[in-house]
Amino acid sequence: MEVLPALLGALRITVLATVLGMGFALVVGLIWALLRRSPRRWLSAPAGAIVEFLRSTPLLVQLFFLFYVLPDWGVSLSALATGILGLGLHYSAYTAEVYRAGIEGVPQGQWDAAAALNFSKARTWRAIILPQIVAPTLPVLGNRFVAMFKDSVLLSAITVGEVLQQARLIGSESFRYLEPLTLVGVLFLIVSVAASRGLRVFELKLNAGRRGRGALS
């Protein structure tokens, strides 16, 4: 257990990269989803191609590209910033598909009602469409968050001092890998289960709030 403090310190980096990467993915994924629905082909076609590229190529390759190729083009980021960017970009493609499914699930009557009220497109999205896709997409987005957390071990390939890299460092110094790697597995299990339970509680509260507002109306 003497290695636990060092692993917990590295775990904070892992969680930080995951949280910031997921925040990036949620914002950029929404942009991809809106661009793909654009009637302008010059917007929807490139957005669709980028999403397919991000989904169809391995995260590790994308991380290597960002970390080793971008500096040749004059763009140099720290290892952690590169990891957050890589995780966010990769998972933005998946969140875009989640958003797309949620948007397509909004009944046509909602769009027609907004048009009848002479809402602008921006107001229609902000006041009617986007609030309605939060609850349906939350469970899937939660699963993506947990998947990203598990994929964050790939950041060790670009020298980010996350928890798996710390475990391997401890093992190489002590020639004992069993204890640190077992602890890493336990830590990932604890964080993943806690995140899943927290998201489930948030989802239940969100649905309860929606039912309450529906009853009042």
Side-chain angles (χ1 to χ4, degrees), residues 11 21 29 46 50-51 77-78 85 89 106 146 188 190 192 195 209-210:
L11 182 65
I50 293 172
V51 168
L77 301 173
S78 68
L85 178 63
L89 279 177
V106 176
V146 174
F188 266 81
I190 292 172
S192 296
R210 294 179 66 208

Side-chain angles (χ1 to χ4, degrees), residues 35 38-47:
L35 288 177
S38 173
R40 298 176 177 84
R41 184 71 178 167
W42 60 274
L43 286 176
S44 61

Side-chain angles (χ1 to χ4, degrees), residues 3 25-26 37 43 63 74 76 80 86 91 102 110 130 136 159 171 182 191 195:
V3 302
L26 290 174
R37 290 184 58 86
L43 286 176
L63 289 172
S76 295
L80 180 59
Y91 274 87
Q110 301 289 320
L130 293 181
T159 73
T182 301
V191 174

Side-chain angles (χ1 to χ4, degrees), residues 179-192:
E179 292 87 349
L181 291 179
T182 301
L183 281 173
V184 168
V186 173
L187 291 174
F188 266 81
L189 177 64
I190 292 172
V191 174
S192 296

Side-chain angles (χ1 to χ4, degrees), residues 118-135:
N118 201 26
F119 279 14
S120 65
K121 286 187 176 179
R123 189 178 181 187
T124 299
W125 281 103
R126 185 178 65 254
I128 296 179
I129 305 303
L130 293 181
Q132 293 190 62
I133 70 173
V134 173

Side-chain angles (χ1 to χ4, degrees), residues 18-57:
T18 304
V19 171
L20 294 181
M22 194 64 196
F24 187 87
L26 290 174
V27 174
V28 178
L30 181 59
I31 294 172
W32 296 142
L34 296 179
L35 288 177
R36 293 188 72 179
R37 290 184 58 86
S38 173
R40 298 176 177 84
R41 184 71 178 167
W42 60 274
L43 286 176
S44 61
I50 293 172
V51 168
E52 288 303 319
F53 173 80
L54 292 172
R55 292 176 59 196
S56 304
T57 54

Side-chain angles (χ1 to χ4, degrees), residues 123-167:
R123 189 178 181 187
T124 299
W125 281 103
R126 185 178 65 254
I128 296 179
I129 305 303
L130 293 181
Q132 293 190 62
I133 70 173
V134 173
T137 58
L138 190 59
V140 184
L141 292 176
N143 289 335
R144 294 299 180 193
F145 177 78
V146 174
M148 179 189 283
F149 176 62
K150 291 186 288 187
D151 277 350
S152 65
V153 297
L154 294 176
L155 301 189
S156 63
I158 57 171
T159 73
V160 175
E162 51 79 50
V163 66
L164 182 61
Q165 188 187 50
Q166 184 63 37

